[in-house]
Amino acid sequence: MSRLKKKKAHEKEPNLERWLVSYADFITLLFAVFVMLYAMSIVDQKKMEEVQASIQSSFSGPQTLTPALKVIGNKDFGLIPEAVEPPVPVQSQDEATAAAEAQEFSQIKNDIQNNLQEYGAKNEVQLTVNERGLVISLKEAGFFPSGTAKVQQHALPLLDKIAISIARYDNTLRIEGHTDNVAINSPAFPSNWELSTARANSIVHYLIEKHGFKGAKLSVTGYAEYRPIADNATEEGRKLNRRVDIVMLSSKGAQGEALKFDGE
């Protein structure tokens, strides 16, 4: 029996297009990634409207003075804080009163200046509004002879005009005497303390006796040379410092006066 000789199996040729399978798998995975990203980028319309409404309400709606948090949608959106309007500074009662008084004192100042125009008293009287109230400065040159505390006779009509102008108001009045720093030593006035206080007393007595001012609304103080408004190094400055101030006290100034009195 003849032995049949087996034919040698024919080898398969390599598949040169197998890379297409891997490439197709890669394209499929890449497509799946883009589909997933696209799906994640789509926001629920209803939730988006809620977010939009919340933002509009925060920036254009009624504001609250305390911070608030509003939940929008589910936890994916988290918490969106509403806009908080910073508190508007509220003017205190004391500040409002001070502002109203300052305006009133300015009006009183204008009224007094109008009443004094006929006397040409610009060089004898100076009016100033400050936190203490209305300060009416009577300069020595127009009201007192040098070294004395008696009001000059020719200055009385001017003093009367001032008294009539301020008598209509209930403000507490403080009469303050001032001198320059030139020392005085006379039998009547051993120092500037006595001279400044005596001049203030002269004005107070005149207001009470001639114009009926109530003593309870008046106070007297002498500052000698220790409250200057100008430089005592010049003659012009010393002239300005020699004065008597009639101070229509503001509410704050009157409270300070009352505390001072209570503490004595």
Side-chain angles (χ1 to χ4, degrees):
M1 183 175 177
S2 63
R3 183 178 295 177
L4 297 176
K5 190 176 180 180
K6 292 182 179 180
K7 291 183 178 180
K8 188 177 180 181
H10 182 71
E11 293 182 1
K12 293 182 179 181
E13 295 182 1
N15 189 354
L16 300 178
E17 296 182 353
R18 184 174 178 79
W19 64 273
L20 291 172
V21 177
S22 299
Y23 181 75
D25 291 340
F26 173 76
I27 293 298
T28 302
L29 290 175
L30 189 61
F31 176 77
V33 169
F34 279 109
V35 169
M36 184 178 64
L37 292 175
Y38 177 73
M40 292 174 62
S41 67
I42 298 177
V43 180
D44 185 273
Q45 185 65 26
K46 183 178 179 180
K47 293 179 181 179
M48 195 62 186
E49 290 176 355
E50 291 178 355
V51 172
Q52 199 171 22
S54 175
I55 295 174
Q56 291 177 347
S57 174
S58 298
F59 288 97
S60 62
Q63 305 289 330
T64 59
L65 294 180
T66 55
L69 294 175
K70 186 174 182 180
V71 179
I72 302 299
N74 57 22
K75 62 182 180 180
D76 294 335
F77 287 94
L79 301 178
I80 297 181
E82 292 186 353
V84 180
E85 182 181 4
V88 178
V90 179
Q91 190 178 39
S92 67
Q93 183 63 36
D94 290 342
E95 291 174 338
T97 301
E101 286 187 334
Q103 185 175 3
E104 183 178 5
F105 282 134
S106 295
Q107 183 60 50
I108 298 172
K109 173 185 173 182
N110 293 335
D111 292 343
I112 295 176
Q113 286 178 331
N114 292 335
N115 291 336
L116 297 180
Q117 279 184 352
E118 61 182 281
Y119 288 96
K122 180 178 180 180
N123 295 326
E124 287 78 22
V125 181
Q126 181 177 355
L127 294 93
T128 307
V129 176
N130 55 33
E131 62 178 5
R132 295 194 300 157
L134 174 62
V135 181
I136 306 170
S137 293
L138 312 178
K139 300 180 182 180
E140 180 204 53
F143 289 87
F144 298 98
S146 180
T148 69
K150 184 177 180 181
V151 181
Q152 299 186 85
Q153 193 68 28
H154 70 81
L156 293 179
L158 181 56
L159 185 57
D160 290 336
K161 204 70 174 176
I162 294 172
I164 293 171
S165 297
I166 63 178
R168 297 173 290 173
Y169 305 96
D170 294 329
N171 298 69
T172 299
L173 301 177
R174 185 167 65 206
I175 317 302
E176 303 173 347
H178 303 269
T179 67
D180 58 24
N181 64 346
V182 177
I184 184 174
N185 187 1
S186 67
F189 308 111
S191 71
N192 283 327
W193 290 109
E194 287 79 11
L195 177 59
S196 62
T197 305
R199 286 179 170 176
N201 276 325
S202 294
I203 300 298
V204 166
H205 283 296
Y206 192 82
L207 294 178
I208 293 175
E209 296 167 7
K210 180 68 182 296
H211 294 278
F213 279 68
K214 296 180 180 179
K217 287 288 185 179
L218 300 172
S219 63
V220 173
T221 185
Y223 288 116
E225 68 266 27
Y226 297 104
R227 296 292 189 277
I229 58 174
D231 189 356
N232 276 312
T234 65
E235 178 58 30
E236 186 63 29
R238 290 192 292 272
K239 286 181 180 180
L240 294 175
N241 291 331
R242 297 193 296 266
R243 69 197 189 279
V244 173
D245 290 342
I246 301 175
V247 185
M248 292 184 65
L249 294 172
S250 62
S251 298
K252 183 177 180 180
Q255 289 174 0
E257 188 76 7
L259 291 174
K260 177 182 176 183
F261 180 79
D262 292 339
E264 292 179 347

